[in-house]
Each structure stands twice: as C-alpha cells, then as structure tokens.
Amino acid sequence: MWIDVRFASREHAVPGRPEVGFGAPPGAGGVQRLARLMGAGHALEVLLSADDYDAEPAERYGWINRAVPDDEPDAVVDRFGHRVARFPADAVVATKASVAHATAPSDDELRAAAVVFQHFVREGAVGRRTALLMERGLQTRGRTELDLVESLAALPPDRSHDEVS
C-alpha cells in the first residue's frame, strides 16, 4: 500500500526507516519509492542512517507533501479531501493512475526487493541484531522501544560477513 498524499504534524511527526539498522535493506518497495520521492542522495541518507527525522526535513526531502501545525492536520486533510471529492471521479482516478504508472516501482522491482529482503532476514544480521534488541527490551515500553534509532545505533557492529585476513 502506498499513501498518495502525505500531510504530517510539524510538532509530532517522526518518520524513519530503521531496516538497515536491523541489518537489511527495506523490502516491499521502500527503497524504490523513497528514491523516486526524494532522489538518490536524500533516500540514501534516510535509509542508511536508520534515524528518525522531523517534519521539516521530511517536507524538504519530499517524504511528506506538507508539514502542518499540530492543531491543523484534520482541517488540512478534510479541505483537501472535500475539494478533490467535488471533481469528476473519472478525472481523479485517471490522474492517480497516470501518476502511479509514472512513479511506482514495477512488479519485477518489488519482487526483486522482496527476494533481497528475505535473504537478509534469513541469512544476514537481522536475527542476531533483533535478538540483542529483544534482550534489551524491544517490544516493551522501555528505552529500547521508545528510542529505537539510538538503540540500533548502540548495537555492536556486525562483522560476521567480513573477510578474515
């Protein structure tokens, strides 16, 4: 699933992509979609850092359409939705389909990304790193869960695939 139009709270939005921190590239089209939205440089920054971002860079990078004050998202979304709903549905559907066709990853790209992701989950560092995080409180309401990006960054480097000299 992909979200067509993305508005976020300026004060509370915290988009992030932690997959590389776990030891795998994002699957399900995350790499392809972000690269198309942001461009290669910003996508690599977001994906490789496995960090949280606030609304300002997310808007500037194209991750979200617009950052709005925390008390306005409902009004902004309602106005947008009601405005679009007044236009001929066939024109809206055709426009969305054209944009999706022009920007969406192909089925082949998505399948290839899924194969790569599954390989990293089965044979890479994902299991080891997840186990360490579970020992430290992942999936509980503690520091590890609430500050996941710092917990990921604090894990020891995984050198299991480095060549031995």
Side-chain angles (χ1 to χ4, degrees):
M1 181 181 119
W2 186 247
I3 301 169
D4 294 326
V5 180
R6 298 159 310 280
F7 299 106
S9 163
R10 188 174 312 282
E11 294 85 2
H12 291 98
V14 189
R17 296 301 310 221
E19 293 90 344
V20 170
F22 277 97
V31 170
Q32 295 78 10
R33 292 182 196 281
L34 279 183
R36 284 171 170 87
L37 279 174
M38 301 179 174
H42 287 140
L44 284 169
E45 177 188 346
V46 165
L47 295 167
L48 295 178
S49 71
D51 205 352
D52 287 338
Y53 289 79
D54 59 36
E56 187 272 320
E59 179 180 40
R60 198 177 58 226
Y61 289 8
W63 201 344
I64 61 172
N65 293 75
R66 189 167 6 140
V68 296
D70 194 43
D71 60 344
E72 294 181 24
D74 290 344
V76 169
V77 170
D78 285 349
R79 181 182 186 283
F80 178 80
H82 286 100
R83 182 176 176 85
V84 172
R86 296 178 58 91
F87 301 143
D90 57 347
V92 171
V93 169
T95 301
K96 286 179 60 172
S98 293
V99 170
H101 180 74
T103 62
S106 70
D107 290 344
D108 288 342
E109 286 178 283
L110 294 175
R111 279 191 287 278
V115 168
V116 170
F117 178 77
Q118 290 166 6
H119 166 78
F120 276 87
V121 169
R122 281 193 310 271
E123 299 177 30
V126 175
R128 293 183 297 277
R129 293 176 71 79
T130 302
L132 283 171
L133 288 168
M134 293 296 278
E135 290 172 11
R136 296 175 184 186
L138 186 66
Q139 295 190 337
T140 65
R141 191 154 178 80
R143 283 286 60 162
T144 299
E145 184 77 15
L146 296 174
D147 202 0
L148 181 59
V149 298
E150 292 307 317
S151 299
L152 287 166
L155 290 176
D158 188 279
R159 301 287 182 224
S160 62
H161 287 63
D162 288 354
E163 289 184 7
V164 179
S165 347

